[in-house]
Amino acid sequence: MSFSNNLITLIMAKIKTSKLYFKLVLVLFILFGLQISKAHSQDDNTALSVRPNFIGIQINPFFNENFFDELIAGNLNHSIWVFSARYGRESVFLPNLTIGGEFHQHRTFRAEPGYSFLTLGPFARYTHRLFSWAGVFAEAASKVSYSVVKVPALGIENRDFGFVYYFAPGISLGQQQKRFSIDLYWKFSGEMLIDGNNNVFSFKINYHF
Protein backbone atom coordinates (compact mmCIF):
# COMPACT_ATOMS: atom_id res chain seq x y z
CA MET A 1 0.00 0.00 0.00
CA SER A 2 1.39 3.44 -0.97
CA PHE A 3 2.16 6.24 1.47
CA SER A 4 -0.79 8.27 0.13
CA ASN A 5 -3.19 5.40 0.73
CA ASN A 6 -1.81 5.00 4.25
CA LEU A 7 -2.36 8.70 4.89
CA ILE A 8 -5.92 8.63 3.57
CA THR A 9 -6.66 5.67 5.79
CA LEU A 10 -5.22 7.55 8.78
CA ILE A 11 -7.28 10.65 8.06
CA MET A 12 -10.60 9.35 6.81
CA ALA A 13 -11.16 6.15 8.82
CA LYS A 14 -11.51 5.32 12.47
CA ILE A 15 -8.32 3.60 13.46
CA LYS A 16 -9.37 1.63 16.51
CA THR A 17 -12.36 0.82 18.67
CA SER A 18 -12.80 3.27 21.56
CA LYS A 19 -12.36 2.05 25.11
CA LEU A 20 -14.95 4.60 26.26
CA TYR A 21 -16.53 2.71 29.13
CA PHE A 22 -13.22 1.67 30.71
CA LYS A 23 -11.93 5.24 30.63
CA LEU A 24 -15.18 6.66 32.01
CA VAL A 25 -15.24 4.20 34.90
CA LEU A 26 -11.58 4.96 35.67
CA VAL A 27 -12.16 8.72 35.76
CA LEU A 28 -15.30 8.39 37.89
CA PHE A 29 -13.49 6.07 40.31
CA ILE A 30 -10.71 8.62 40.82
CA LEU A 31 -13.18 11.46 41.35
CA PHE A 32 -15.29 9.37 43.73
CA GLY A 33 -12.21 8.44 45.78
CA LEU A 34 -11.21 12.08 46.11
CA GLN A 35 -14.73 13.04 47.14
CA ILE A 36 -14.93 10.37 49.87
CA SER A 37 -11.53 11.32 51.27
CA LYS A 38 -12.68 14.91 51.71
CA ALA A 39 -16.33 14.31 52.56
CA HIS A 40 -16.18 16.29 55.82
CA SER A 41 -13.88 19.09 54.73
CA GLN A 42 -14.78 22.69 55.46
CA ASP A 43 -13.96 26.03 53.89
CA ASP A 44 -12.60 24.44 50.70
CA ASN A 45 -15.58 25.16 48.44
CA THR A 46 -14.94 28.87 47.96
CA ALA A 47 -14.16 29.84 44.40
CA LEU A 48 -11.21 31.89 43.26
CA SER A 49 -12.21 35.51 43.92
CA VAL A 50 -8.98 37.51 43.99
CA ARG A 51 -8.07 36.27 40.49
CA PRO A 52 -11.36 35.41 38.71
CA ASN A 53 -9.87 35.34 35.19
CA PHE A 54 -7.60 32.75 33.66
CA ILE A 55 -5.88 31.88 30.39
CA GLY A 56 -5.21 28.21 29.60
CA ILE A 57 -2.76 26.72 27.09
CA GLN A 58 -2.19 23.21 25.71
CA ILE A 59 0.58 22.24 23.24
CA ASN A 60 1.56 18.61 22.66
CA PRO A 61 1.78 15.82 20.09
CA PHE A 62 -1.08 13.33 19.97
CA PHE A 63 0.33 10.11 21.38
CA ASN A 64 -1.00 7.48 19.00
CA GLU A 65 0.73 4.57 17.24
CA ASN A 66 1.68 6.72 14.26
CA PHE A 67 3.51 9.23 16.50
CA PHE A 68 5.68 6.57 18.12
CA ASP A 69 6.42 4.95 14.74
CA GLU A 70 7.59 8.29 13.35
CA LEU A 71 9.49 9.13 16.55
CA ILE A 72 11.51 5.92 16.16
CA ALA A 73 12.07 6.72 12.48
CA GLY A 74 13.18 10.28 13.34
CA ASN A 75 10.54 11.95 11.13
CA LEU A 76 7.42 13.52 12.67
CA ASN A 77 6.02 15.13 9.50
CA HIS A 78 2.78 13.17 9.57
CA SER A 79 2.19 12.94 13.32
CA ILE A 80 -0.66 14.96 14.83
CA TRP A 81 0.06 18.02 16.96
CA VAL A 82 -2.42 19.74 19.28
CA PHE A 83 -2.68 23.43 20.17
CA SER A 84 -5.40 24.94 22.33
CA ALA A 85 -5.91 28.32 24.02
CA ARG A 86 -8.81 29.45 26.19
CA TYR A 87 -9.99 32.32 28.33
CA GLY A 88 -12.36 31.85 31.26
CA ARG A 89 -13.91 33.89 34.06
CA GLU A 90 -15.87 32.97 37.16
CA SER A 91 -19.55 33.79 37.00
CA VAL A 92 -20.65 36.68 39.21
CA PHE A 93 -23.97 34.90 39.79
CA LEU A 94 -22.62 31.45 40.72
CA PRO A 95 -19.01 31.51 42.02
CA ASN A 96 -18.29 27.84 41.29
CA LEU A 97 -19.34 28.28 37.66
CA THR A 98 -16.75 29.31 35.07
CA ILE A 99 -17.63 30.38 31.54
CA GLY A 100 -15.36 31.24 28.64
CA GLY A 101 -14.27 30.55 25.09
CA GLU A 102 -11.67 28.30 23.48
CA PHE A 103 -9.78 27.94 20.21
CA HIS A 104 -8.47 24.46 19.40
CA GLN A 105 -6.48 23.08 16.49
CA HIS A 106 -4.94 19.71 15.77
CA ARG A 107 -3.08 19.06 12.56
CA THR A 108 -0.35 17.04 10.94
CA PHE A 109 3.07 18.64 11.31
CA ARG A 110 3.37 18.80 7.54
CA ALA A 111 0.53 20.52 5.69
CA GLU A 112 0.72 18.71 2.34
CA PRO A 113 -0.12 15.88 2.36
CA GLY A 114 -1.90 16.23 5.68
CA TYR A 115 -4.90 17.70 7.44
CA SER A 116 -5.97 20.38 9.90
CA PHE A 117 -8.98 20.52 12.22
CA LEU A 118 -10.00 23.75 13.98
CA THR A 119 -12.76 24.41 16.51
CA LEU A 120 -13.97 27.62 18.17
CA GLY A 121 -16.70 28.10 20.74
CA PRO A 122 -17.83 28.60 24.36
CA PHE A 123 -17.40 26.29 27.34
CA ALA A 124 -18.87 26.15 30.85
CA ARG A 125 -17.48 24.42 33.93
CA TYR A 126 -18.74 23.75 37.45
CA THR A 127 -15.99 23.20 40.04
CA HIS A 128 -16.09 21.68 43.53
CA ARG A 129 -13.02 22.22 45.74
CA LEU A 130 -11.99 19.09 47.65
CA PHE A 131 -8.73 20.42 49.09
CA SER A 132 -7.00 23.79 49.12
CA TRP A 133 -4.77 22.41 46.35
CA ALA A 134 -7.25 20.34 44.29
CA GLY A 135 -10.81 20.23 43.04
CA VAL A 136 -13.03 18.26 40.67
CA PHE A 137 -15.05 19.73 37.85
CA ALA A 138 -17.53 18.91 35.10
CA GLU A 139 -17.18 20.79 31.82
CA ALA A 140 -19.27 21.05 28.67
CA ALA A 141 -18.61 22.81 25.37
CA SER A 142 -20.17 23.26 21.94
CA LYS A 143 -18.08 24.54 19.02
CA VAL A 144 -18.11 25.15 15.30
CA SER A 145 -15.43 23.24 13.39
CA TYR A 146 -13.50 23.65 10.15
CA SER A 147 -11.40 20.87 8.63
CA VAL A 148 -9.01 20.71 5.67
CA VAL A 149 -7.62 17.52 4.10
CA LYS A 150 -4.91 17.77 1.42
CA VAL A 151 -3.32 14.98 -0.63
CA PRO A 152 -1.90 16.78 -3.72
CA ALA A 153 -0.54 13.58 -5.26
CA LEU A 154 -4.11 12.30 -5.64
CA GLY A 155 -5.71 15.68 -6.32
CA ILE A 156 -7.60 15.61 -3.02
CA GLU A 157 -8.42 18.81 -1.14
CA ASN A 158 -11.52 18.62 1.06
CA ARG A 159 -12.83 21.44 3.24
CA ASP A 160 -15.72 21.08 5.62
CA PHE A 161 -17.61 23.05 8.28
CA GLY A 162 -19.30 21.25 11.14
CA PHE A 163 -20.27 21.22 14.79
CA VAL A 164 -18.70 19.36 17.72
CA TYR A 165 -19.47 19.11 21.42
CA TYR A 166 -18.10 17.31 24.45
CA PHE A 167 -18.65 16.64 28.14
CA ALA A 168 -15.63 16.24 30.41
CA PRO A 169 -15.04 15.25 34.06
CA GLY A 170 -11.71 16.43 35.40
CA ILE A 171 -9.36 17.38 38.21
CA SER A 172 -7.84 20.82 38.77
CA LEU A 173 -4.54 21.00 40.66
CA GLY A 174 -3.30 24.24 42.20
CA GLN A 175 -3.52 26.25 45.41
CA GLN A 176 -6.36 28.72 45.64
CA GLN A 177 -5.32 32.32 45.06
CA LYS A 178 -2.12 31.22 43.28
CA ARG A 179 -1.17 32.26 39.77
CA PHE A 180 -0.89 28.83 38.14
CA SER A 181 -2.99 25.67 38.00
CA ILE A 182 -3.19 22.50 35.89
CA ASP A 183 -6.40 20.91 34.61
CA LEU A 184 -6.52 17.20 33.72
CA TYR A 185 -9.72 15.98 32.08
CA TRP A 186 -11.21 13.46 29.67
CA LYS A 187 -13.47 14.61 26.86
CA PHE A 188 -16.39 12.44 25.72
CA SER A 189 -18.51 13.16 22.65
CA GLY A 190 -20.88 11.62 20.13
CA GLU A 191 -18.77 13.31 17.45
CA MET A 192 -15.20 12.61 16.34
CA LEU A 193 -12.77 14.66 18.42
CA ILE A 194 -9.36 13.58 17.10
CA ASP A 195 -7.90 10.80 14.92
CA GLY A 196 -11.22 8.96 14.65
CA ASN A 197 -11.73 8.92 18.44
CA ASN A 198 -14.80 10.32 20.21
CA ASN A 199 -13.01 10.54 23.56
CA VAL A 200 -9.58 11.89 24.43
CA PHE A 201 -7.45 12.91 27.42
CA SER A 202 -6.70 16.62 27.60
CA PHE A 203 -4.93 19.10 29.87
CA LYS A 204 -4.47 22.82 30.34
CA ILE A 205 -1.81 24.89 32.07
CA ASN A 206 -3.60 27.96 33.42
CA TYR A 207 -2.49 31.44 34.44
CA HIS A 208 -4.89 33.25 36.80
CA PHE A 209 -5.24 37.01 37.05
Side-chain angles (χ1 to χ4, degrees), residues 66-98:
N66 184 66
F67 170 77
F68 290 107
D69 288 344
E70 291 199 337
L71 182 63
I72 293 172
N75 180 356
L76 297 176
N77 283 343
H78 305 293
S79 60
I80 300 173
W81 293 77
V82 179
F83 170 78
S84 183
R86 60 168 46 181
Y87 165 77
R89 179 180 173 82
E90 289 180 354
S91 168
V92 296
F93 303 104
L94 186 60
N96 288 343
L97 179 67
T98 299

Side-chain angles (χ1 to χ4, degrees), residues 98-138:
T98 299
I99 55 176
E102 179 176 36
F103 167 81
H104 170 95
Q105 180 185 26
H106 63 266
R107 56 165 295 165
T108 49
F109 188 78
R110 183 178 177 183
E112 296 183 8
Y115 86 103
S116 174
F117 188 84
L118 299 91
T119 64
L120 179 67
F123 71 90
R125 169 191 296 184
Y126 186 84
T127 303
H128 176 74
R129 300 290 305 186
L130 297 178
F131 305 90
S132 62
W133 52 270
V136 295
F137 62 84

Side-chain angles (χ1 to χ4, degrees), residues 19 53 59 108-109 137 166 204:
K19 298 180 180 178
N53 306 280
I59 303 175
T108 49
F109 188 78
F137 62 84
Y166 68 80
K204 292 291 184 297

Side-chain angles (χ1 to χ4, degrees), residues 6-18 61-67 78-82 104 106-108 115-117 191-200:
N6 280 327
L7 182 61
I8 294 171
T9 300
L10 174 67
I11 295 171
M12 307 300 290
K14 291 188 177 182
I15 295 178
K16 36 187 156 176
T17 302
S18 168
F62 180 63
F63 298 109
N64 59 357
E65 183 178 352
N66 184 66
F67 170 77
H78 305 293
S79 60
I80 300 173
W81 293 77
V82 179
H104 170 95
H106 63 266
R107 56 165 295 165
T108 49
Y115 86 103
S116 174
F117 188 84
E191 306 290 332
M192 186 188 74
L193 294 176
I194 185 170
D195 194 33
N197 298 304
N198 60 4
N199 67 97
V200 63

Side-chain angles (χ1 to χ4, degrees), residues 27 31 135-139 168-172 184-186:
V27 170
L31 299 184
V136 295
F137 62 84
E139 179 175 302
I171 302 174
S172 183
L184 308 173
Y185 54 107
W186 213 297

